[in-house]
Amino acid sequence: MARLFDAYIMVDWSAATKPVTGPNSIWVGILAKDARLKFQFRAINPDTRLKARTFIHDMVGKLVKRGDKVLLGFDFSFGFPMGTGDAMGFGDDVPPWQSMFEYLSGKVREREDNSNSRFAIAAGMNYAMSKGAFPFWGAPVRDQVSTLDGKRPSFDSARPVDEFRLAERFLKERGLGQPKSCWQLAYAGSVGSQTLLGIPHIAWLAAQVPGAKIWPYDLPLEPLEEDALETVNLVIAEIYPSLVKARPGAGQVLDEAQVEAIARHYCDLDANDRLGPLFSGGDGLSEAEKSQITREEGWILGI
């Protein structure tokens, strides 16, 4: 069978509040064919999210123009735990994931200096969901208000949403990692801020690139086959780089090595007809869980 994709772009995102490069910043890894049709890897380290988005958009455009189909991965949550849309009062006109994408796209305002108001957005969402400091947490002292605290709140059965999505629980139960909750905004390993600031960018990219699909929302949670990509140029998926071991080479920082390792991982799976089946999600998912994933929570490619 032919490959599903011709290029693999993996992104280690960042919620930094100022331009920054090096460790713990944005790294974009591109694994694509050169003029001799050999896969070559290179990494870019843009210092702001807007520069990263512009670079990714331009790179995808060039690859698509030459006929490539592109897999684009981002390392933040594409959704929130089931019930978040209801708690936010979104209504039933469109699926909860779409309402959240539209909501955050309208709230997040990126500036050229990388500054942002993610803590204010989280505080506002907390008010909408609980009228208190739940479920987002992890704000520094200067950003703490009555509806946003620095400490983790209690997540019990009386709360409107869980602490983790199915994807995080799946990873933990199978010993594949120790992912953080999308409600945690700061401190070691946190992903909440990246999620708040990242979702509007993938929504923008999907709207700008003809034939773009966000998995598993725009594409079904089932094995991906070549004919399903006939009119698709770009598939955007959530990734978890820690699924594979990254060993930094000479002069590489860990983030750079991670985007290279996960790009090569997907490329190798694709070469052996093992990537397509991963788009069906994890083994043993019930129909109810699949609905939960495709309507609101999203899923991590490859777990």
Side-chain angles (χ1 to χ4, degrees):
M1 291 179 64
R3 281 181 174 274
L4 294 172
F5 300 99
D6 307 290
Y8 311 82
I9 302 177
M10 302 294 128
V11 185
D12 185 336
W13 202 242
S14 168
T17 57
K18 60 183 180 180
V20 61
T21 58
N24 301 314
S25 63
I26 297 174
W27 284 89
V28 182
I30 308 100
L31 185 62
K33 296 174 184 176
D34 61 15
R36 297 173 298 170
L37 301 182
K38 300 292 186 181
F39 279 102
Q40 300 292 338
F41 177 83
R42 67 182 178 114
I44 304 297
N45 186 207
D47 61 0
T48 69
R49 285 175 293 278
L50 285 175
K51 288 181 182 177
R53 187 179 76 179
T54 297
F55 172 80
I56 294 167
H57 177 256
D58 291 347
M59 175 56 63
V60 169
K62 291 175 182 177
L63 292 168
V64 168
K65 186 176 181 180
R66 75 179 191 182
D68 286 1
K69 294 189 182 295
V70 182
L71 176 63
L72 173 60
F74 286 89
D75 70 336
F76 53 78
S77 305
F78 281 18
F80 293 87
M82 183 178 66
T84 300
D86 286 342
M88 287 290 295
F90 285 155
D92 300 323
D93 293 342
V94 298
W97 76 265
Q98 187 175 337
S99 294
M100 182 61 73
F101 273 47
E102 292 171 356
Y103 176 86
L104 290 177
S105 294
K107 289 289 184 181
V108 174
R109 292 290 179 269
E110 291 281 8
R111 302 180 182 89
E112 295 292 341
D113 64 358
N114 233 22
S115 60
N116 59 80
S117 58
R118 67 185 186 276
F119 294 114
I121 294 170
M125 291 177 69
N126 276 355
Y127 181 81
M129 286 188 276
S130 70
K131 303 299 186 289
F134 177 91
F136 282 108
W137 65 277
V141 174
R142 67 179 180 275
D143 292 297
Q144 291 177 19
V145 293
S146 62
T147 57
L148 185 63
D149 202 352
K151 297 181 179 179
R152 174 185 172 276
S154 173
F155 286 84
D156 56 45
S157 58
R159 296 292 198 174
V161 294
D162 289 334
E163 184 172 13
F164 296 102
R165 302 179 300 163
L166 284 172
E168 283 85 45
R169 295 204 295 271
F170 194 94
L171 279 169
K172 290 184 176 186
E173 290 168 0
R174 287 156 179 78
L176 298 174
Q178 292 296 320
K180 300 294 184 178
S181 167
C182 56
W183 305 123
Q184 183 179 344
L185 297 170
Y187 313 124
S190 61
V191 72
S193 289
Q194 289 93 321
T195 296
L196 289 177
L197 299 179
I199 283 176
H201 287 290
I202 61 174
W204 184 90
L205 286 165
Q208 295 296 314
V209 178
K213 300 291 184 181
I214 301 173
W215 177 83
Y217 301 137
D218 296 325
L219 288 171
L221 197 66
E222 61 185 34
L224 185 62
E225 298 182 357
E226 188 178 1
D227 58 358
L229 295 176
E230 184 176 353
T231 61
V232 177
N233 297 314
L234 172 69
V235 174
I236 306 174
E238 180 182 340
I239 62 172
Y240 187 66
S242 296
L243 283 176
V244 296
K245 184 69 174 178
R247 296 180 175 83
Q252 274 191 323
V253 302
L254 179 58
D255 314 82
E256 180 183 4
Q258 285 183 319
V259 293
E260 178 174 5
I262 195 68
R264 293 191 183 281
H265 174 65
Y266 290 134
C267 181
D268 291 344
L269 289 173
D270 203 1
N272 292 286
D273 298 328
R274 294 168 55 202
L275 181 59
L278 298 182
F279 284 87
S280 63
D283 293 335
L285 290 173
S286 68
E287 290 304 312
E289 289 172 330
K290 289 181 178 181
S291 177
Q292 184 173 334
I293 288 165
T294 57
R295 283 185 51 78
E296 184 156 22
E297 291 195 353
W299 194 253
I300 298 166
L301 182 61
I303 66 172

